[in-house]
Amino acid sequence: MPSIKPLRKAVFPVAGLGTRFLPATKSMPKEMLTVVDKPLIQYAVEEALEAGIEQIIFVTGRGKGALEDHFDISYELEATMTARGKSLAVIEGIRQRPGSPVYVRQQEPLGLGHAVWCARDIVGDEPFAVLLPDDLMVGRPGCLKQMVGAYQKVGGNVISAEEVPDDQTHRYGIITPGARDGRLTEVAGLVEKPAPGTAPSNLSVIGRYILQPEVMRVLEGQAAGAGGEIQLTDAMAQMIGDQPFHGVTFDGVRYDCGDKAGFVQANIAVALEREDIGPAVRSFATGLLR
Ligand code: G1P
């Protein structure tokens, strides 16, 4: 097997309009919605850093300025907190090293594949991760770190996989599974949002990917697919057979924060695990359900 190149870069597609969360997202990026007290995007960035990522790349668009400010220094806030003797621990770590994140613009909402392709010049000729902040992955170690463990063994392309109920397969990229070895499944085929009743399995693609740079060349000529959008899944499907391709089933819990019920569930679950507010939320929830 050719040598496995280390994973240093991660792409975060964050140009989506978030119409499902209106009115909350009218003037605020959906990635800034908080689960308890931390924006979704910060959970995803922290997961990437834990996995060894050095270069954060946001594929962004108009109206997403709050994301840039979130990962920058806030002089007023830091000066005021310092003057009041407050710890800066809660905002330390948000700011990245100078030059990271990098922001590129998608300009038009042409699909996830197109968003990823917009980062091609920054990704260059290196493997890279893609993290969709809508999928909040709660586990130890984090999802991407678990995937990096697998990547270091098998190389090639590694995607996060999760079984979903049969009546949900039309909402996801779906894997045709090959050989299985514990949490690792060979990917023999991929289809984006198959019509109900036509899915090759119920093993779905979740919003974490480790991809080889060749996918950028495939995306270059990728025609629109499901929903009239340029789909990452379609481009990945074309790489099967040329490069190793595996799915890793996440050891942890995924919350679909692109969905209102999933978002509320994430808030409850994360709150219940917190030392500071967990007991109060638990006694309130227990009383509510009695
Ligand atoms: C995207 C991908 C899909 C994947 C899903 C995971 O779909 O296109 O393959 O299963 O994320 O969350 P979206 O949710 O953007 O429609």
Side-chain angles (χ1 to χ4, degrees):
M1 192 176 10
S3 69
I4 295 170
K5 281 198 189 169
L7 182 72
R8 299 188 316 114
K9 300 183 177 181
V11 175
F12 297 75
V14 291
L17 292 175
T19 49
R20 267 191 275 176
F21 277 86
L22 284 168
T25 49
K26 181 164 179 261
S27 64
M28 179 183 82
K30 68 169 174 166
E31 298 79 11
M32 288 300 291
L33 289 169
T34 56
V35 170
V36 183
D37 50 9
K38 201 191 281 186
L40 283 170
I41 188 64
Q42 194 181 333
Y43 285 96
V45 166
E46 287 177 357
E47 183 189 324
L49 297 175
E50 181 208 9
I53 294 297
E54 296 165 16
Q55 177 73 75
I56 306 284
I57 306 162
F58 286 142
V59 181
T60 179
R62 289 178 295 284
K64 298 281 183 165
L67 286 169
E68 301 190 21
D69 289 342
H70 188 69
F71 291 97
D72 199 355
I73 192 167
S74 168
Y75 286 104
E76 277 167 318
L77 190 60
E78 292 189 16
T80 308
M81 287 172 76
T82 305
R84 291 182 184 164
K86 291 202 169 139
S87 162
L88 295 179
V90 280
I91 53 170
E92 266 162 16
I94 296 177
R95 206 193 324 154
Q96 303 298 301
R97 62 180 176 80
S100 180
V102 169
Y103 299 87
V104 296
R105 291 257 185 163
Q106 191 185 5
Q107 280 112 359
E108 284 179 280
L110 298 179
L112 177 60
H114 179 258
V116 169
W117 179 73
C118 288
R120 66 199 177 283
D121 287 346
I122 317 292
V123 164
D125 196 26
E126 284 191 42
F128 62 102
V130 177
L131 295 95
L132 310 187
D134 277 1
D135 281 326
L136 175 62
M137 309 300 272
V138 179
R140 283 205 192 96
C143 182
L144 190 64
K145 189 162 184 176
Q146 292 182 24
M147 292 167 66
V148 167
Y151 171 69
Q152 283 163 348
K153 292 188 196 115
V154 295
N157 303 278
V158 176
I159 55 182
S160 178
E162 182 179 80
E163 290 194 354
V164 296
D166 288 340
D167 63 358
Q168 294 294 305
T169 51
H170 65 282
R171 296 179 52 207
Y172 295 92
I174 300 292
I175 297 170
T176 304
R180 293 194 191 216
D181 176 11
R183 295 190 169 274
L184 200 64
T185 304
E186 239 179 89
V187 175
L190 281 167
V191 55
E192 179 68 12
K193 300 194 174 79
T198 68
S201 77
N202 64 349
L203 194 60
S204 72
V205 181
I206 298 309
R208 300 289 183 276
Y209 311 76
I210 296 174
L211 299 172
Q212 295 303 312
E214 287 76 20
V215 76
M216 294 297 192
R217 254 76 81 200
V218 181
L219 282 167
E220 191 108 36
Q222 185 65 52
E229 297 189 339
I230 297 171
Q231 296 291 352
L232 181 60
T233 304
D234 295 342
M236 294 192 304
Q238 292 192 47
M239 313 229 295
I240 299 168
D242 296 343
Q243 298 178 338
F245 216 122
H246 294 87
V248 176
T249 306
F250 175 49
D251 183 11
V253 185
R254 164 188 171 250
Y255 297 96
D256 178 4
C257 292
D259 170 79
K260 278 179 236 189
F263 177 70
V264 173
Q265 286 160 14
N267 267 285
I268 295 169
V270 172
L272 288 175
E273 289 300 313
R274 287 266 298 247
E275 264 175 39
D276 53 351
I277 58 168
V281 175
R282 185 172 304 274
S283 85
F284 170 75
T286 311
L288 205 61
L289 298 173
R290 201 169 281 143

